[in-house]
Amino acid sequence: MSNTIPRLDFHMHTHYLGCANGTMKIPAMIGTCEKLGVTALGITDHLNSLDKIERHLPIISDIRALETPLAVYFGVELNFMSADGDFAFSAEIKERYGFQFAIGGIHGVYTDTYDLKKIIDIQHRHHLATCRNPLVDVLVHPYWFGKYEFDHKQWPWLDSMLPVPESYARELGQTARETGTAIEINACANLVNPSHSERYVEEYIAFLAVIAETGAMFSVGSDAHDIGQLASVRSAWGVAEKLGLSDDRIWMPPGKPMVGPA
């Protein structure tokens, strides 16, 4: 593997918000990242509703207590509160709680009727809306779907990127470039998701390649919810190299990290 791509991971979860398991305690996460060769990372637990915001505060305490050579940032992952809703986030909340960056995007299909074109169109609309939100730095896992949602609704599983028009990929890339939003190369959601076939992964990389042609920035993340998943970020690094991205096309949070070298 070449040395052109910075070893970063700006999408991982802790046990504090309940979406990750008990192995995802911050000191253990940092130790694992050190062994993997990560140089900078961001903690990004979910903020789906404001009643959960106080549960992010112990993350800050844990980060500040670290002794590590890594640059560690305090971020947050946002989700649309409804099909036509917004994020549970504002400039005031960002400043008050000290969030250094925000990643976000759509986490559901937002329809009860199986119409593949409609499903794709909803995703595309939310992707563009995320890029146009000035508080969001990174669009997370575009065209990730939860298989459990498809199974629950007894819908055929979407194990292909071919239904996504190339024009959508190109418009997304152009919008991201214009707004300065990074498009995420997500390991666990898209590249090593056991629900997807190898063919899907090849199609997904081709989708990212179209976005790369527009000159958009990219972010890399494991999206780990278990300590063993942190190593999956290597697949995201590999895709970034396969896309031929130079290090100035790889997104970093603005400003100094909460701990570690700038």
Side-chain angles (χ1 to χ4, degrees):
M1 197 176 272
S2 71
N3 296 319
T4 59
I5 298 300
R7 294 327 192 213
L8 314 173
D9 187 345
F10 289 117
H11 190 164
M12 60 181 72
H13 299 277
T14 77
H15 66 103
Y16 283 118
L17 273 291
C19 69
N21 63 30
T23 67
M24 294 297 274
K25 294 180 170 62
I26 290 175
M29 294 162 64
I30 300 305
T32 300
C33 286
E34 289 177 0
K35 293 175 182 177
L36 290 169
V38 174
T39 58
L41 61 95
I43 307 295
T44 53
D45 264 330
H46 289 282
L47 181 59
N48 294 340
S49 56
L50 290 178
D51 60 310
K52 301 291 196 308
I53 195 165
E54 297 295 324
R55 294 170 65 181
H56 289 258
L57 295 179
I59 299 172
I60 299 176
S61 298
D62 283 3
I63 293 175
R64 288 179 172 161
L66 293 170
E67 293 184 8
T68 178
L70 308 189
V72 183
Y73 294 82
F74 174 52
V76 65
E77 181 175 6
L78 308 175
N79 181 23
F80 288 95
M81 291 184 287
S82 65
D84 295 304
D86 206 343
F87 296 124
F89 199 60
S90 66
E92 180 184 359
I93 290 171
K94 180 179 180 180
E95 182 177 0
R96 182 190 303 174
Y97 289 90
F99 292 113
Q100 295 178 287
F101 69 94
I103 65 177
I106 185 170
H107 289 75
V109 295
Y110 293 137
T111 178
D112 291 321
T113 303
Y114 183 76
D115 179 333
L116 187 53
K117 183 180 184 304
K118 180 179 180 181
I119 291 170
I120 298 299
D121 287 350
I122 290 172
Q123 296 292 308
H124 183 58
R125 174 163 58 90
H126 283 77
H127 293 158
L128 298 182
T130 301
C131 289
R132 290 168 179 150
N133 188 316
L135 293 174
V136 181
D137 300 283
V138 177
L139 170 66
V140 295
H141 47 59
Y143 295 104
W144 168 81
F145 295 98
K147 191 171 187 301
Y148 55 86
E149 184 174 12
F150 277 68
D151 290 346
H152 178 73
K153 294 179 176 180
Q154 298 183 320
W155 291 354
W157 176 228
L158 181 53
D159 190 31
S160 174
M161 285 295 293
L162 295 183
V164 179
E166 182 177 319
S167 61
Y168 282 15
R170 203 162 297 280
E171 184 180 14
L172 175 57
Q174 291 168 346
T175 302
R177 187 192 68 237
E178 291 166 1
T179 60
T181 309
I183 303 298
E184 185 180 63
I185 304 173
N186 185 301
C188 288
N190 301 109
L191 301 177
V192 298
N193 188 331
S195 297
H196 286 307
S197 64
E198 291 183 10
R199 176 180 50 80
Y200 166 87
V201 175
E202 292 175 359
E203 294 170 358
Y204 195 81
I205 294 172
F207 159 78
L208 294 175
V210 174
I211 294 176
E213 291 174 1
T214 69
M217 295 280 289
F218 287 84
S219 176
V220 288
S222 63
D223 199 358
H225 291 70
D226 177 275
I227 201 79
Q229 294 177 337
L230 284 167
S232 70
V233 73
R234 290 170 173 163
S235 66
W237 297 341
V239 168
E241 291 176 349
K242 187 172 184 177
L243 295 177
L245 301 175
S246 54
D247 59 359
D248 61 348
R249 297 273 304 278
I250 304 298
W251 177 84
M252 286 278 294
K256 296 180 180 179
M258 188 164 285
V259 300

